[in-house]
Amino acid sequence: MSGPGRRPETTIFTTMSALAQRHGAVNLGQGFPDESGPSHIIEAAARAMRDGHNQYPPLAGIPELRRAIAAHQRHWYDLAPDPDEGVTVTAGATEALTAAILAFVDPGDEVIALEPSYDSYKAAVAMAGGTLVPVRLDAPEGAQGHWRLDPARLAAAVSDRTRLLLVNSPHNPTGTVLDREELGAIAALAVERDLIAVTDEVYEHLVFDGREHVPLATLPGMWDRTVTIGSAGKTFSVTGWKIGWATGPAELVARVKDVKQWLSFASGTPFQYGITEALASGDGFYREYAAGYQERRDVMVAGLAAIGFDVHEPEGTYFVTAGIAPFGHEDGLRFCLELPERCGVVAVPTQVFYLDQAPRAEVRFAFCKRLDVIEEGLKRLRAGL
């Protein structure tokens, strides 16, 4: 946000998508797949439309979807949100996150988030009148490293005004998957300082190389103080449907619903039926989904490295961060603004994910595209850089 009473800043994704259209560029910047979701899910939504499910759903979402979300949490994580009181369906994960922040943050409160962080966090905290306090992840040393959380730095960031911990894992944009030791440090701090946690877990099923995603709510002392955010868009390649959810203890989810009613109230009735069908997909679907994206990751990482980028292989998500210093660039924003015309490719500068937005010699590429599209993007980068 640019200040009280001022218009919010235009997101980098709006800017870069416009440049992609203007120059006919391969869009490896914004994180949306270029393939539609499985046909049976699309058909389930279409059938719901034909069956007349085209009016407002209940505020918390249709009962069938709430039960499916609760079943998903039980199956994968042994969590047991009440489908009637502990689950609410939202207009995408961004609404769930915004509603949660508005529900728990008062003017003057501080919200701790891991940095770099998704840009909507800063905007939502500003709308609540709070202050975002970034805790910077330690950058990797060498191509095989990953960004990691320093528990001492996290603890030092907590003050008497800290209200909420905003945790994102698998982490956008770095691709880090927080391990049990890191999550344990977060949980111990939350319990010790009596903090609420809101977790952004939209990439929960996109972890690679045998790693596991561990929801913070599963750790001792965390269920009663954690709102867990999930989304169908990333997992089922239907980002345009904007179906997300918040789960947790009834008393916390109720506060999220209280805010949500003044945002979208409710949305996407036929899409909610489609996602109900999607969540019934067997474990094999999720394994194939992750394996397919791991293949794309490997192609993207190898291709960027061969071109000359300093590449850090992600542990999860569908993003890869690449250093541009080998090309003589130190400002990722300038590099990305020039890239669509120069190479016909769009990337996103990682500096937009930092509070200070100082120039950084890193950019983020998205590999949620068909393999032929990734190959075309790499071909254009090879020719233009």
CSV table of all heavy atoms in Angstrom, one decimal, residues 256-287:
chain,number,residue,atom,x,y,z
A,256,VAL,N,-13.0,-15.6,10.9
A,256,VAL,CA,-12.7,-15.4,9.5
A,256,VAL,C,-14.0,-15.3,8.7
A,256,VAL,O,-14.1,-14.4,7.8
A,256,VAL,CB,-11.9,-16.7,9.0
A,256,VAL,CG1,-11.7,-16.5,7.5
A,256,VAL,CG2,-10.6,-16.8,9.7
A,257,LYS,N,-15.0,-16.1,9.0
A,257,LYS,CA,-16.3,-16.0,8.3
A,257,LYS,C,-17.0,-14.6,8.6
A,257,LYS,O,-17.6,-14.1,7.7
A,257,LYS,CB,-17.3,-17.1,8.8
A,257,LYS,CG,-17.0,-18.5,8.2
A,257,LYS,CD,-18.1,-19.5,8.5
A,257,LYS,CE,-18.1,-19.9,10.0
A,257,LYS,NZ,-19.1,-21.0,10.2
A,258,ASP,N,-16.8,-14.1,9.8
A,258,ASP,CA,-17.4,-12.8,10.1
A,258,ASP,C,-16.9,-11.7,9.1
A,258,ASP,O,-17.6,-10.8,8.8
A,258,ASP,CB,-17.1,-12.4,11.5
A,258,ASP,CG,-18.0,-13.2,12.5
A,258,ASP,OD1,-18.9,-13.8,12.1
A,258,ASP,OD2,-17.6,-13.2,13.7
A,259,VAL,N,-15.6,-11.8,8.8
A,259,VAL,CA,-15.0,-10.8,7.9
A,259,VAL,C,-15.4,-11.2,6.4
A,259,VAL,O,-15.8,-10.3,5.6
A,259,VAL,CB,-13.5,-10.8,8.0
A,259,VAL,CG1,-12.9,-9.9,7.0
A,259,VAL,CG2,-13.1,-10.3,9.4
A,260,LYS,N,-15.3,-12.5,6.1
A,260,LYS,CA,-15.6,-12.9,4.7
A,260,LYS,C,-17.0,-12.4,4.2
A,260,LYS,O,-17.2,-12.1,3.0
A,260,LYS,CB,-15.5,-14.4,4.6
A,260,LYS,CG,-15.9,-15.0,3.2
A,260,LYS,CD,-16.1,-16.4,3.3
A,260,LYS,CE,-17.0,-16.9,2.1
A,260,LYS,NZ,-16.7,-16.3,0.8
A,261,GLN,N,-18.0,-12.4,5.1
A,261,GLN,CA,-19.3,-12.0,4.7
A,261,GLN,C,-19.4,-10.6,4.1
A,261,GLN,O,-20.3,-10.3,3.3
A,261,GLN,CB,-20.3,-12.1,5.9
A,261,GLN,CG,-20.1,-11.1,7.0
A,261,GLN,CD,-21.1,-11.3,8.1
A,261,GLN,OE1,-22.3,-11.6,7.9
A,261,GLN,NE2,-20.6,-11.1,9.3
A,262,TRP,N,-18.4,-9.8,4.5
A,262,TRP,CA,-18.4,-8.4,4.0
A,262,TRP,C,-17.4,-8.3,2.8
A,262,TRP,O,-17.2,-7.1,2.3
A,262,TRP,CB,-18.0,-7.4,5.1
A,262,TRP,CG,-19.0,-7.5,6.2
A,262,TRP,CD1,-18.7,-7.9,7.5
A,262,TRP,CD2,-20.4,-7.2,6.2
A,262,TRP,NE1,-19.8,-7.9,8.3
A,262,TRP,CE2,-20.9,-7.5,7.5
A,262,TRP,CE3,-21.2,-6.7,5.2
A,262,TRP,CZ2,-22.2,-7.3,7.8
A,262,TRP,CZ3,-22.6,-6.6,5.5
A,262,TRP,CH2,-23.0,-6.8,6.8
A,263,LEU,N,-16.7,-9.3,2.4
A,263,LEU,CA,-15.9,-9.3,1.2
A,263,LEU,C,-16.6,-9.9,0.1
A,263,LEU,O,-17.3,-9.2,-0.7
A,263,LEU,CB,-14.6,-10.1,1.5
A,263,LEU,CG,-13.7,-9.5,2.7
A,263,LEU,CD1,-12.5,-10.4,2.9
A,263,LEU,CD2,-13.2,-8.1,2.3
A,264,SER,N,-16.6,-11.2,-0.2
A,264,SER,CA,-17.3,-11.8,-1.3
A,264,SER,C,-18.7,-12.3,-0.8
A,264,SER,O,-19.6,-12.6,-1.7
A,264,SER,CB,-16.5,-12.9,-1.9
A,264,SER,OG,-16.4,-14.0,-1.0
A,265,PHE,N,-18.9,-12.5,0.4
A,265,PHE,CA,-20.0,-13.2,1.1
A,265,PHE,C,-19.9,-14.7,0.6
A,265,PHE,O,-19.7,-15.6,1.4
A,265,PHE,CB,-21.4,-12.7,0.7
A,265,PHE,CG,-22.5,-13.5,1.4
A,265,PHE,CD1,-22.8,-13.3,2.7
A,265,PHE,CD2,-23.2,-14.4,0.7
A,265,PHE,CE1,-23.8,-14.0,3.4
A,265,PHE,CE2,-24.2,-15.2,1.3
A,265,PHE,CZ,-24.5,-15.0,2.7
A,266,ALA,N,-20.1,-14.9,-0.7
A,266,ALA,CA,-20.0,-16.3,-1.2
A,266,ALA,C,-19.8,-16.2,-2.7
A,266,ALA,O,-20.1,-15.2,-3.3
A,266,ALA,CB,-21.3,-17.1,-0.8
A,267,SER,N,-19.3,-17.3,-3.3
A,267,SER,CA,-19.0,-17.3,-4.7
A,267,SER,C,-18.9,-18.7,-5.3
A,267,SER,O,-18.6,-19.6,-4.5
A,267,SER,CB,-17.7,-16.5,-5.0
A,267,SER,OG,-16.6,-17.1,-4.4
A,268,GLY,N,-19.0,-18.8,-6.6
A,268,GLY,CA,-18.6,-20.0,-7.3
A,268,GLY,C,-19.4,-21.2,-7.0
A,268,GLY,O,-18.8,-22.3,-6.9
A,269,THR,N,-20.7,-21.1,-6.9
A,269,THR,CA,-21.5,-22.3,-6.5
A,269,THR,C,-21.2,-23.5,-7.4
A,269,THR,O,-20.8,-24.6,-6.9
A,269,THR,CB,-23.0,-22.0,-6.6
A,269,THR,OG1,-23.2,-20.9,-5.7
A,269,THR,CG2,-23.8,-23.2,-6.2
A,270,PRO,N,-21.3,-23.5,-8.7
A,270,PRO,CA,-21.0,-24.7,-9.5
A,270,PRO,C,-19.5,-25.2,-9.4
A,270,PRO,O,-19.3,-26.4,-9.4
A,270,PRO,CB,-21.3,-24.3,-10.9
A,270,PRO,CG,-21.3,-22.8,-11.0
A,270,PRO,CD,-21.7,-22.4,-9.6
A,271,PHE,N,-18.6,-24.2,-9.2
A,271,PHE,CA,-17.2,-24.6,-9.0
A,271,PHE,C,-17.0,-25.3,-7.7
A,271,PHE,O,-16.2,-26.2,-7.6
A,271,PHE,CB,-16.3,-23.3,-9.1
A,271,PHE,CG,-16.4,-22.6,-10.4
A,271,PHE,CD1,-16.4,-21.2,-10.4
A,271,PHE,CD2,-16.5,-23.3,-11.6
A,271,PHE,CE1,-16.5,-20.5,-11.6
A,271,PHE,CE2,-16.5,-22.6,-12.8
A,271,PHE,CZ,-16.5,-21.2,-12.8
A,272,GLN,N,-17.8,-25.0,-6.7
A,272,GLN,CA,-17.7,-25.7,-5.5
A,272,GLN,C,-18.1,-27.1,-5.6
A,272,GLN,O,-17.4,-28.0,-5.0
A,272,GLN,CB,-18.5,-25.0,-4.4
A,272,GLN,CG,-18.0,-23.6,-4.0
A,272,GLN,CD,-18.7,-23.1,-2.7
A,272,GLN,OE1,-19.2,-23.9,-1.9
A,272,GLN,NE2,-18.8,-21.8,-2.6
A,273,TYR,N,-19.1,-27.4,-6.4
A,273,TYR,CA,-19.4,-28.8,-6.7
A,273,TYR,C,-18.3,-29.5,-7.5
A,273,TYR,O,-18.0,-30.7,-7.2
A,273,TYR,CB,-20.7,-28.9,-7.5
A,273,TYR,CG,-21.9,-28.7,-6.7
A,273,TYR,CD1,-22.5,-27.4,-6.5
A,273,TYR,CD2,-22.5,-29.7,-6.0
A,273,TYR,CE1,-23.6,-27.2,-5.8
A,273,TYR,CE2,-23.7,-29.5,-5.2
A,273,TYR,CZ,-24.2,-28.2,-5.1
A,273,TYR,OH,-25.3,-28.0,-4.3
A,274,GLY,N,-17.6,-28.8,-8.4
A,274,GLY,CA,-16.5,-29.4,-9.1
A,274,GLY,C,-15.4,-29.7,-8.2
A,274,GLY,O,-14.7,-30.8,-8.3
A,275,ILE,N,-15.1,-28.9,-7.2
A,275,ILE,CA,-14.0,-29.1,-6.3
A,275,ILE,C,-14.3,-30.2,-5.3
A,275,ILE,O,-13.5,-31.0,-4.8
A,275,ILE,CB,-13.5,-27.8,-5.6
A,275,ILE,CG1,-13.0,-26.8,-6.6
A,275,ILE,CG2,-12.4,-28.1,-4.6
A,275,ILE,CD1,-12.0,-27.3,-7.6
A,276,THR,N,-15.6,-30.3,-5.0
A,276,THR,CA,-16.0,-31.5,-4.2
A,276,THR,C,-15.6,-32.8,-4.9
A,276,THR,O,-15.1,-33.7,-4.2
A,276,THR,CB,-17.5,-31.4,-3.9
A,276,THR,OG1,-17.9,-30.2,-3.3
A,276,THR,CG2,-18.0,-32.6,-3.1
A,277,GLU,N,-15.9,-32.8,-6.2
A,277,GLU,CA,-15.5,-34.0,-6.9
A,277,GLU,C,-14.0,-34.2,-7.0
A,277,GLU,O,-13.4,-35.3,-6.9
A,277,GLU,CB,-16.0,-33.9,-8.4
A,277,GLU,CG,-15.8,-35.0,-9.3
A,277,GLU,CD,-16.8,-36.1,-9.2
A,277,GLU,OE1,-17.8,-35.9,-8.5
A,277,GLU,OE2,-16.6,-37.2,-9.8
A,278,ALA,N,-13.3,-33.0,-7.1
A,278,ALA,CA,-11.8,-33.1,-7.2
A,278,ALA,C,-11.2,-33.7,-6.0
A,278,ALA,O,-10.2,-34.5,-6.0
A,278,ALA,CB,-11.3,-31.7,-7.5
A,279,LEU,N,-11.7,-33.2,-4.8
A,279,LEU,CA,-11.1,-33.7,-3.6
A,279,LEU,C,-11.3,-35.2,-3.3
A,279,LEU,O,-10.6,-35.8,-2.4
A,279,LEU,CB,-11.6,-32.9,-2.4
A,279,LEU,CG,-11.1,-31.4,-2.3
A,279,LEU,CD1,-11.8,-30.6,-1.3
A,279,LEU,CD2,-9.6,-31.4,-2.1
A,280,ALA,N,-12.2,-35.8,-4.1
A,280,ALA,CA,-12.4,-37.2,-3.9
A,280,ALA,C,-11.4,-38.0,-4.8
A,280,ALA,O,-11.4,-39.2,-4.8
A,280,ALA,CB,-13.8,-37.6,-4.4
A,281,SER,N,-10.5,-37.3,-5.5
A,281,SER,CA,-9.4,-38.0,-6.3
A,281,SER,C,-8.6,-38.8,-5.3
A,281,SER,O,-8.2,-38.5,-4.2
A,281,SER,CB,-8.5,-36.9,-7.0
A,281,SER,OG,-9.3,-36.1,-7.8
A,282,GLY,N,-8.2,-40.0,-5.8
A,282,GLY,CA,-7.4,-40.9,-5.0
A,282,GLY,C,-6.0,-40.4,-4.8
A,282,GLY,O,-5.5,-39.5,-5.5
A,283,ASP,N,-5.2,-41.1,-4.0
A,283,ASP,CA,-3.9,-40.7,-3.7
A,283,ASP,C,-3.0,-40.8,-5.0
A,283,ASP,O,-2.0,-40.0,-5.1
A,283,ASP,CB,-3.2,-41.7,-2.7
A,283,ASP,CG,-3.8,-41.5,-1.3
A,283,ASP,OD1,-4.8,-40.7,-1.2
A,283,ASP,OD2,-3.3,-42.1,-0.3
A,284,GLY,N,-3.3,-41.6,-5.9
A,284,GLY,CA,-2.6,-41.7,-7.1
A,284,GLY,C,-2.6,-40.4,-7.9
A,284,GLY,O,-1.5,-40.1,-8.5
A,285,PHE,N,-3.7,-39.7,-7.9
A,285,PHE,CA,-3.7,-38.4,-8.6
A,285,PHE,C,-2.7,-37.5,-8.0
A,285,PHE,O,-1.9,-36.8,-8.8
A,285,PHE,CB,-5.1,-37.8,-8.4
A,285,PHE,CG,-5.1,-36.3,-8.9
A,285,PHE,CD1,-5.3,-36.0,-10.2
A,285,PHE,CD2,-4.9,-35.3,-7.9
A,285,PHE,CE1,-5.3,-34.7,-10.6
A,285,PHE,CE2,-4.9,-34.0,-8.3
A,285,PHE,CZ,-5.1,-33.7,-9.7
A,286,TYR,N,-2.6,-37.4,-6.7
A,286,TYR,CA,-1.6,-36.5,-6.1
A,286,TYR,C,-0.2,-36.9,-6.4
A,286,TYR,O,0.7,-36.0,-6.6
A,286,TYR,CB,-1.9,-36.4,-4.6
A,286,TYR,CG,-3.3,-35.8,-4.3
A,286,TYR,CD1,-4.4,-36.6,-4.0
A,286,TYR,CD2,-3.5,-34.4,-4.2
A,286,TYR,CE1,-5.6,-36.1,-3.7
A,286,TYR,CE2,-4.7,-33.9,-3.9
A,286,TYR,CZ,-5.8,-34.7,-3.7
A,286,TYR,OH,-7.0,-34.2,-3.4
A,287,ARG,N,0.1,-38.2,-6.4
A,287,ARG,CA,1.4,-38.6,-6.7
A,287,ARG,C,1.8,-38.3,-8.1
A,287,ARG,O,2.9,-37.8,-8.3
A,287,ARG,CB,1.5,-40.1,-6.4
A,287,ARG,CG,1.6,-40.6,-5.0
A,287,ARG,CD,2.0,-42.0,-4.8
A,287,ARG,NE,1.1,-42.9,-5.4
A,287,ARG,CZ,0.0,-43.5,-4.8
A,287,ARG,NH1,-0.2,-43.2,-3.5
A,287,ARG,NH2,-0.8,-44.3,-5.4
